[in-house]
Amino acid sequence: MTPIQETIINKKTTNKPIWLMRQAGRYLPEFREIRKVNPNFINLCLNENLSSEITLQPLKRFELDAAIIFSDILMVPYGLNQEVEFKKNFGPELGSINLEKISNINEKDFLNKLYPIYKSIKKVKENKLTKNKDVIGFVGAPWTLLVYMINKHSPKKELIRDFFKDKFLINKILIILEKFIKVHIEHQIKNGATVIQIFDSWAGLLDEKDLPNYVYTPTLNLVNYVESLSVPVICFPRGIKNYKKFCEFVKPDVISIDYDIDPIFISKEIQIPVQGGLNPKILLADKESLKKEVLKYLDIFKDHPYIFNLGHGVMPETNPMQVDYLVKLVKDY
Ligand code: 1CP
């Protein structure tokens, strides 16, 4: 069993496995080299040789317990034939939605478009660098994908006005998303993903009263689906206030927490395995401050099944030496 599986399945507390959100990416010079000559981000995700190489880059440097596949949550809207483009210094920009076009897409066309992602996972799984480690597949939660599909760019702080105006459209898209997210999960697992993480990056934009409809129920359906395939599932409903309630409704195998939530409260109130929490900004500080914060999380979760991770992705300006120091601190604890 891998260290992460021991934490999740056996609820082991004596080891603290570690991987980092956005561990493959912009803070690594070897990634920037590849990115420089591959300006089209979608094409890069669909190049199985390069995407598998990028996935493995952090494992060559650091003693991490998992690889997370180099792809993006917006590959699902792309697979559904919505235009998706990543613009420099702006982020994603999506095309307008043609409900008829999206409703008519079949599984075969979707899989054909995303086929290189599955090949890339297979390559990563077969590489000796992932021996006795997990390969993490992932999807965006229906709510977060809906936000990008309707909003058409990052909501940053707020949704476009009239976001909820066309309830028919929203409900229709949510049904289509659930179906194809499941297809995407299934094929990641078939090709070697051993854990699935569901990113709900914009769960925090919703009012408490809307969470059951847009977050709890759609996510629960996915959690049940992943569990039916006998693979553990990690949920990251970023920015919600009530993680306890989320866990009671959705029952994931692991809950990933952001850095705004009090880890002491979580360790007392939540019994299931926990992941993450450390503010990624602390990696930009000096070693002493970093050490203090890392030990804080490790101490709080000493007797809890805990996977070390951040409360959001590694920032682009992070020095890889700091990541190295962080991983060593966790391994030496
Ligand atoms: O080089 C570049 O300019 C591209 C930057 C980049 C990278 C490296 C983007 C654009 N996506 C990714 C990869 C990625 N995205 C991974 C795999 C790599 C890894 O984790 O190491 C994963 C898991 C994601 C997930 C993702 N994409 C999320 C969920 C997590 C989160 O950050 O909240 C979201 C919201 C996206 C959308 C996205 N992709 C990229 C951008 C700039 C954005 C928009 C973010 C925003 O709206 O603010």
Side-chain angles (χ1 to χ4, degrees), residues 21-26 31 35 41 68-74 86 91-92 138 148 154 156 199 201-202 238 312:
M21 290 190 260
R22 294 280 168 103
Q23 63 187 28
R26 292 171 294 183
F31 169 76
R35 188 76 171 95
F41 181 73
I68 177 153
I69 218 69
F70 183 80
S71 176
D72 199 89
I73 61 166
L74 298 179
F86 288 86
F138 68 87
Y148 283 106
S154 175
K156 296 291 182 217
F199 286 94
S201 305
W202 299 110
R238 184 166 72 92
H312 202 193

Side-chain angles (χ1 to χ4, degrees), residues 14-140:
T14 47
N15 70 334
K16 304 294 179 199
I18 174 169
W19 69 278
L20 304 174
M21 290 190 260
R22 294 280 168 103
Q23 63 187 28
R26 292 171 294 183
Y27 71 107
L28 287 178
E30 56 271 37
F31 169 76
R32 291 207 200 110
E33 285 294 305
I34 294 178
R35 188 76 171 95
K36 217 163 51 192
V37 288
N38 291 276
N40 184 317
F41 181 73
I42 297 266
N43 288 349
L44 185 54
C45 292
L46 293 175
N47 179 329
E48 72 256 24
N49 291 323
L50 288 178
S51 69
S52 55
E53 185 184 331
I54 294 167
T55 301
L56 294 168
Q57 280 175 347
L59 275 73
K60 289 183 183 154
R61 277 182 179 254
F62 317 117
E63 217 187 306
L64 296 159
D65 292 297
I68 177 153
I69 218 69
F70 183 80
S71 176
D72 199 89
I73 61 166
L74 298 179
M75 296 310 283
V76 165
Y78 171 83
L80 293 173
N81 278 338
Q82 189 173 12
E83 269 175 53
V84 182
E85 220 187 304
F86 288 86
K87 296 207 160 142
K88 216 179 152 125
N89 305 324
F90 179 75
E93 191 160 71
L94 286 80
S96 52
I97 293 192
N98 180 335
L99 189 56
E100 201 183 306
K101 211 165 103 185
I102 290 184
S103 305
N104 286 332
I105 186 148
N106 62 47
E107 204 174 308
K108 194 162 149 269
D109 295 338
F110 177 83
L111 288 173
N112 268 337
K113 281 192 92 170
L114 301 192
Y115 183 61
I117 299 175
Y118 311 124
K119 276 174 86 175
S120 171
I121 293 178
K122 203 168 172 138
K123 274 167 113 54
V124 168
K125 176 71 183 169
E126 285 166 356
N127 193 291
K128 62 179 188 312
L129 283 165
T130 60
K131 193 166 173 266
N132 201 35
K133 292 175 191 245
D134 282 280
V135 175
I136 299 178
F138 68 87
V139 290

Side-chain angles (χ1 to χ4, degrees), residues 260-273:
D260 282 330
I261 206 82
D262 175 15
I264 297 177
F265 175 82
I266 295 286
S267 74
K268 287 191 180 131
E269 292 296 319
I270 287 182
Q271 266 67 52
I272 65 167

